[in-house]
Amino acid sequence: MSTSNASASVPARTGRASPLPLVAVCLGYFLVILDVTVVTVALPDLGRALDAGVTGLQWAVDGYTLAFAGLLLFCGGLADRRGGRPVFLTGLVVFAAASAGCALAASIPVLVAARLVQGVGAALLVPASLTLLRAAYPEPAARARAFGLWGAVAGLAAGAGPVLGGVLVASFGWRAVFLVNLPAALVAVLLTLRQIPRSPTAPTRRGLDVPAQTAAAVCVAALAAGCIEAGAPGRPRAVVLGAFVVALLGLAAFVLLERRAPAPMLPLVLFRSRAFTASAVVGVLLNAGFYGLLFLAPLYFQQVHHYSALRTGFALLPAVGLVAVGSAWAGHLTARTGPRPPMVAGLVIGAAGLAGWLCAGPGAPYAVLVAPMAAAGFGTALTMPAATAAVMESVPGERGGSAAAVFNAARQLGSVLGVAVFGTLTTGGLVPGLHGAAVAGATGFLAAALLAARRVPGAGPRPDPVA
């Protein structure tokens, strides 16, 4: 009887771990991913209400990703040093407050500023969420399943975004796509306070290495900004080149500072791990292809086939819906086979799905694209939880937040690259650009599959030793 009670009070120490910590963590992560896609269908109404042009709307979308990607490394180090629970709770509060600011915005500059703060909250949430999962589910098989469900939440949120956004805009107006975050964030805060231990990660009290963290944030933000501006028509070349120069300078400063730091936030020796480095690259290529597709597909359905925003959201369900279903299954598969088989299989399937968009055209019926969308979504679903597990198993436990931050920063950069590059390809026409994007995305997926096959461990969690 006492054993049973102990199991209930300390769920992270047994094979029958309580699902409630997972629910709390996944609810926060759901909000982060939801706000990547839910805003897109609200843009026409939002633009009319705030008298915003194309550039303002672009930054209303991309400002969130910029702050998210630029601060992930900083927030990952913060989670390692201060503990996952307080950082996660802070992220929830910041995200909810910024969501309220977005809903109350009376002008596009105020909305963009609030979206930037939302990105800060997201950057706090994501690496801390993986740190909490690692602590709550220490047994490798249970942890792999938890990562699978965590990935499934990402797919569910991405899929729900366009549909939920269409319903909310049609029923309550564009402000509702931000207000919906508030009750969910409140539930996540209450669950975290009640179900997640106060100090699950035994945080270190070393300094935060602020100069290197700042250099990393500048590098990532400048690179993301350069990619976005490169795809904007009529943008002065000096602006784009300047952003890339700043990114290179930030990278050089970061490497120099980390080499000299007595307690670096991200020891560069971690990149000696083949699985860690390969999985980060896979994250870039995976998100570039999949989210690049999600950027162009709504334009294709609305501009070529004249779908409404709500119908477009439902049309995307074969792509985004299977991410939710497949990710949960992929977690179980990764627990049995190790990360390499599902990563390779998922990337090959996803490549076939992206290539299938070569069938798209003015006369192509919707049914022709169902299988390509399903393959792209299912392939992404197989890959993401396995890549997450490979990253988290390849580093020491006390560096889990930093590893999660690197992986998610890589993914967000991939999303920015996909949107920027794929968008630029459409300057000569939407359908020809979509075909070019399909070839580029499929090629990236196949390159990632080859890298995973050569560098990621197979059966069992066997991370590379890191000094």
Side-chain angles (χ1 to χ4, degrees):
M1 184 71 67
S2 61
T3 302
S4 175
N5 291 338
S7 174
S9 61
V10 189
R13 301 299 181 191
T14 72
R16 295 180 175 273
S18 168
L20 292 178
L22 180 63
V23 173
V25 168
C26 286
L27 186 55
Y29 188 47
F30 179 89
L31 293 176
V32 170
I33 302 303
L34 180 71
D35 268 59
V36 175
T37 59
V38 73
V39 178
T40 56
V41 297
L43 289 178
D45 287 55
L46 188 157
R48 287 190 293 270
L50 301 183
D51 193 24
V54 175
T55 301
L57 294 179
Q58 180 184 1
W59 281 105
V61 174
D62 292 333
Y64 177 76
T65 306
L66 275 173
F68 188 14
L71 291 173
L72 273 170
L73 286 175
F74 181 91
C75 295
L78 193 66
D80 285 340
R81 286 160 172 78
R82 297 293 182 260
R85 184 175 184 261
V87 173
F88 186 76
L89 285 169
T90 302
L92 284 171
V93 173
V94 170
F95 192 90
S99 297
C102 290
L104 296 173
S107 66
I108 198 67
V110 173
L111 178 64
V112 171
R115 287 286 282 171
L116 287 167
V117 178
Q118 262 194 322
V120 175
L124 288 165
L125 280 168
V126 172
S129 71
L130 285 173
T131 298
L132 292 176
L133 283 186
R134 183 171 181 158
Y137 302 96
E139 199 272 322
R143 185 185 303 157
R145 288 190 290 271
F147 286 151
L149 290 172
W150 186 82
V153 165
L156 180 62
V163 177
L164 179 61
V167 171
L168 289 173
V169 171
S171 302
F172 306 106
W174 67 267
R175 298 181 190 273
V177 302
F178 300 110
L179 289 173
V180 74
N181 295 331
L182 301 184
L186 176 61
V187 172
V189 167
L190 294 176
L191 280 174
T192 301
L193 289 172
R194 292 179 61 88
Q195 298 298 329
I196 294 179
R198 182 173 296 275
S199 300
T201 57
T204 174
R205 297 298 174 186
R206 291 175 293 175
L208 280 171
D209 194 12
V210 173
Q213 306 256 20
T214 302
V218 169
C219 172
V220 174
L223 178 60
C227 291
I228 292 169
E229 294 298 324
R235 186 68 64 212
R237 184 172 299 180
V239 173
V240 178
L241 293 178
F244 288 134
V245 168
V246 171
L248 288 174
L249 292 175
L251 176 61
F254 171 72
V255 172
L256 180 63
L257 290 167
E258 287 294 87
R259 284 180 174 175
R260 294 182 175 181
M265 72 155 183
L266 181 61
L268 299 179
V269 70
L270 292 181
F271 287 95
R272 294 179 186 175
S273 167
R274 299 187 306 169
F276 179 85
T277 303
S279 297
V281 175
V282 167
V284 173
L285 296 173
L286 183 73
N287 270 41
F290 184 69
Y291 284 98
L293 169 67
L294 284 186
F295 173 71
L296 292 185
L299 297 178
Y300 169 76
F301 286 129
Q302 293 185 49
Q303 295 182 15
V304 177
H305 291 289
H306 307 292
Y307 285 9
S308 67
L310 184 58
R311 186 179 179 186
T312 297
F314 282 105
L316 293 173
L317 282 179
V320 293
L322 279 180
V323 175
V325 175
S327 293
W329 179 74
H332 293 279
L333 182 63
T334 301
R336 293 197 306 268
T337 69
R340 184 174 64 219
M343 285 177 73
V344 174
L347 289 163
V348 171
I349 293 171
L354 290 173
W357 277 84
L358 291 170
C359 298
Y366 172 75
V368 171
L369 296 173
V370 170
M373 284 192 290
F378 188 68
T380 301
L382 279 181
T383 306
M384 188 54 64
T388 302
V391 165
M392 298 302 289
E393 296 291 349
S394 66
V395 300
E398 67 272 13
R399 293 294 179 181
S402 295
V406 171
F407 182 59
N408 283 283
R411 289 178 55 203
Q412 293 306 313
L413 277 178
S415 299
V416 172
L417 286 168
V419 171
V421 175
F422 287 15
T424 300
L425 291 173
T426 63
T427 55
L430 180 56
V431 172
L434 182 59
H435 291 168
V439 173
T443 302
F445 267 49
L446 290 176
L450 180 61
L451 183 62
R454 293 174 60 88
R455 300 295 186 184
V456 175
R462 299 197 305 264
D464 299 331
V466 176

